[in-house]
Amino acid sequence: SARALTPYTRVAALRNLAAALTQREPDEAASLCGLALAVIEADQIDARLRPAILNILGYALLCLGRINDARERLLEAAAEAHRFGATRAGLYARFNLAITQELDGDLRGSRGVLEQVFEELAPSDELRGWCAIRLAWVALRSGEPERAQDTLDSAQKVLRRRVYADSLEACWAIIACLQGSLQEAIGRLSRSIAAHDERTDLLTPLALRLWLAYAYDRAGRRDGATRM
């Protein structure tokens, strides 16, 4: 029962649940993070738990489109991670801050931060793969599909894990689309949409459907584009 949990285990449970909900129910994740931070303060629990929770909160706010609020929380996470010597939490905060830069249109700044974080991570760290994917995405947003392709090719070793498969498929689909390989793009995008539709992540399938409509239109298949 909830009463049997110590304040520390309550915070850990709230943190883990929030992390699981960030993309599917970011508003709920943000509320859980707020509760976890309140428990830390009320029960005077080790404040070194805060940077990881602030990271999750910042990402949830990003998913809600609250970019300025997200940046504020993530800067707080980075500062506290530095103060407590929580290196990995600090790297996650910087990774998420790079997303805020990208969303603000500062693609060069975002790329610079992601490249730094990528180099500082251990070769086996999962975040290293997400940095590579994010760098490829920034290249695509900059209109540089060849650079995106080179980024993914150079990170092949770390990107072999199953956890990256759906995101990789989406990146390769968009690269194919921008390079004019439209039939390949249509096939990849269709598979990627089907994979994402199995989950409750609604935003990604919507974005992929827009790319699929664009690929159909460029291929002269207006009927396919209008169905999207």
Side-chain angles (χ1 to χ4, degrees):
S1 68
R3 290 183 179 181
L5 296 175
T6 66
Y8 186 95
T9 54
R10 282 180 64 201
V11 169
L14 289 166
R15 177 197 62 201
N16 293 342
L17 181 56
L21 292 174
T22 47
Q23 288 187 314
R24 292 178 294 170
E25 298 181 50
D27 51 347
E28 182 67 18
S31 296
L32 290 169
C33 287
L35 181 56
L37 293 170
V39 172
I40 290 173
E41 183 175 357
D43 290 279
Q44 297 185 332
I45 302 171
D46 190 347
R48 286 176 293 185
L49 292 169
R50 283 177 50 88
I53 295 168
L54 287 166
N55 261 324
I56 297 167
L57 175 56
Y59 187 75
L61 292 169
L62 276 176
C63 293
L64 289 168
R66 294 167 56 183
I67 299 172
N68 291 332
D69 291 337
R71 183 184 299 104
E72 186 176 337
R73 296 284 78 79
L74 292 167
L75 287 170
E76 192 177 354
E80 294 195 15
H82 179 72
R83 180 156 59 95
F84 295 130
T87 302
R88 196 158 186 271
L91 290 169
Y92 266 92
R94 287 162 59 195
F95 172 83
N96 287 326
L97 281 165
I99 299 176
T100 69
Q101 289 177 282
E102 177 204 323
L103 294 174
D104 277 338
D106 181 11
L107 300 181
R108 179 178 295 182
S110 179
R111 177 184 293 132
V113 172
L114 289 168
E115 288 173 343
Q116 290 174 1
V117 172
F118 182 88
E119 291 302 323
E120 291 177 35
L121 286 162
S124 60
D125 197 303
E126 184 178 305
L127 184 57
R128 193 174 170 92
W130 292 119
C131 281
I133 289 171
R134 204 78 211 179
L135 279 165
W137 177 246
V138 170
L140 289 172
R141 285 204 60 192
S142 302
E144 301 176 283
E146 290 78 15
R147 183 172 189 161
Q149 183 173 350
D150 290 344
T151 297
L152 297 180
D153 284 341
S154 65
Q156 275 186 348
K157 188 173 181 179
V158 70
L159 292 173
R160 291 173 184 167
R161 300 178 189 176
R162 177 66 185 86
V163 67
Y164 306 120
D166 291 344
S167 296
L168 272 177
E169 183 72 11
C171 282
W172 285 118
I174 295 169
I175 289 170
C177 187
L178 293 178
Q179 291 180 333
S181 302
L182 300 175
Q183 294 309 311
E184 178 188 349
I186 288 168
R188 285 183 176 273
L189 285 164
S190 298
R191 289 192 296 273
S192 193
I193 290 167
H196 280 89
D197 278 346
E198 293 173 1
R199 303 194 293 273
T200 54
D201 174 11
L202 301 178
L203 185 58
T204 302
L206 175 60
L208 293 173
R209 282 192 177 90
L210 292 173
W211 275 105
L212 182 55
Y214 175 72
Y216 273 129
D217 185 65
R218 283 196 64 191
R221 295 170 59 180
R222 300 295 173 84
D223 57 331
T226 55
R227 284 202 306 271
M228 292 297 106

